[in-house]
């Protein structure tokens, strides 16, 4: 039997809309590293307190083309002093076609940041190491859970605003 001659498969392919997900480019959009207490910080006992802030953004560049942006800020303190501050913005250009709004939102809000995270983690580890500090390897992040949490917060805020507007 010739490849692609199955009428049932051909009918199934005709009914399903074509879906395209393509990562066109991954790039470091912005980064900074500051060690305001250097070199004195290297003389102190190293008992760091690390805080990590992360956020995501998306913007449409053209029809079916988006920029996904993952922002990570690591602030490391020794006592009250900032040992270092490392900020990375890892981005990607993504093509999405044939997805409904909910699926597109989940891809941009969860899957894309998950894909960008390893690159951002590597950039942070590299910057911290070049700053003369012990290795920092960020732990994995559950972007699915963060996306769902953000969706719930937006729904709650919208419901509260609707309730206040009706009063």
């Amino acid at each position: 039997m010739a490849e692609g001659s199955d009428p049932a498969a051909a009918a199934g392919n005709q009914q399903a809309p074509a879906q395209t997900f393509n990562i066109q480019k991954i790039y470091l959009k912005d980064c900074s590293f500051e060690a305001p207490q250097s070199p004195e910080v290297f003389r102190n006992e190293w008992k760091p307190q690390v805080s990590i802030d992360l956020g995501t953004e998306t913007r449409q560049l053209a029809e079916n083309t988006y920029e996904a942006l993952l922002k990570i800020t690591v602030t490391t303190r020794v006592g009250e002093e900032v040992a270092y501050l490392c900020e990375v913005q890892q981005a990607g250009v993504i093509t999405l076609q044939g997805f409904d709004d909910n699926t597109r939102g989940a891809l941009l809000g969860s899957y894309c940041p998950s894909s960008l995270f390893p690159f951002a983690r590597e950039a942070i580890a590299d910057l911290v190491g070049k700053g003369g500090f012990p290795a920092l390897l960020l732990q994995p992040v559950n972007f699915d859970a963060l996306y769902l949490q953000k969706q719930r917060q937006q729904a709650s805020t919208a419901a509260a605003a609707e309730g206040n507007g009706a009063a």
Side-chain angles (χ1 to χ4, degrees):
M1 179 182 242
E3 188 175 322
S5 64
D6 182 2
N13 288 341
Q14 290 174 355
Q15 293 174 355
Q19 293 182 330
T20 303
F21 176 90
N22 184 26
I23 299 174
Q24 294 180 15
K25 172 80 70 187
I26 293 178
Y27 54 97
L28 186 61
K29 187 165 186 166
D30 190 14
C31 69
S32 69
F33 181 85
E34 300 172 30
Q37 304 302 319
S38 292
E40 291 82 13
V41 71
F42 299 122
R43 299 179 66 201
N44 297 330
E45 184 178 5
W46 186 248
K47 290 189 177 180
Q49 301 160 352
V50 179
S51 67
I52 301 169
D53 294 315
L54 62 92
T56 61
E57 292 179 15
T58 58
R59 68 183 178 113
Q60 190 165 2
L61 302 174
E63 185 177 357
N64 301 321
T65 304
Y66 301 85
E67 179 187 53
L69 183 65
L70 174 61
K71 298 178 180 181
I72 302 177
T73 301
V74 178
T75 306
T76 301
R77 297 178 181 275
V78 175
E80 296 299 314
E81 303 290 329
V82 173
Y84 64 83
L85 176 69
C86 184
E87 297 175 306
V88 168
Q89 292 185 14
Q90 191 72 48
V93 176
I94 314 296
T95 302
L96 292 171
Q97 188 172 5
F99 295 98
D100 61 59
D101 289 344
N102 287 337
T103 304
R104 184 174 42 254
L107 286 168
L108 291 170
S110 177
Y111 186 78
C112 289
S114 293
S115 298
L116 296 173
F117 184 74
F119 296 93
R121 177 174 42 198
E122 179 183 16
I124 289 169
D126 189 47
L127 289 167
V128 169
K130 287 182 178 181
F133 293 93
L136 175 70
L137 181 61
L138 298 179
Q139 295 302 308
V141 174
N142 185 342
F143 286 99
D144 292 336
L146 292 176
Y147 177 73
L148 289 174
Q149 180 183 12
K150 184 176 180 180
Q151 293 298 95
R152 288 186 191 122
Q153 287 174 342
Q154 288 175 344
S156 175
T157 302
E162 189 176 293
N164 289 339

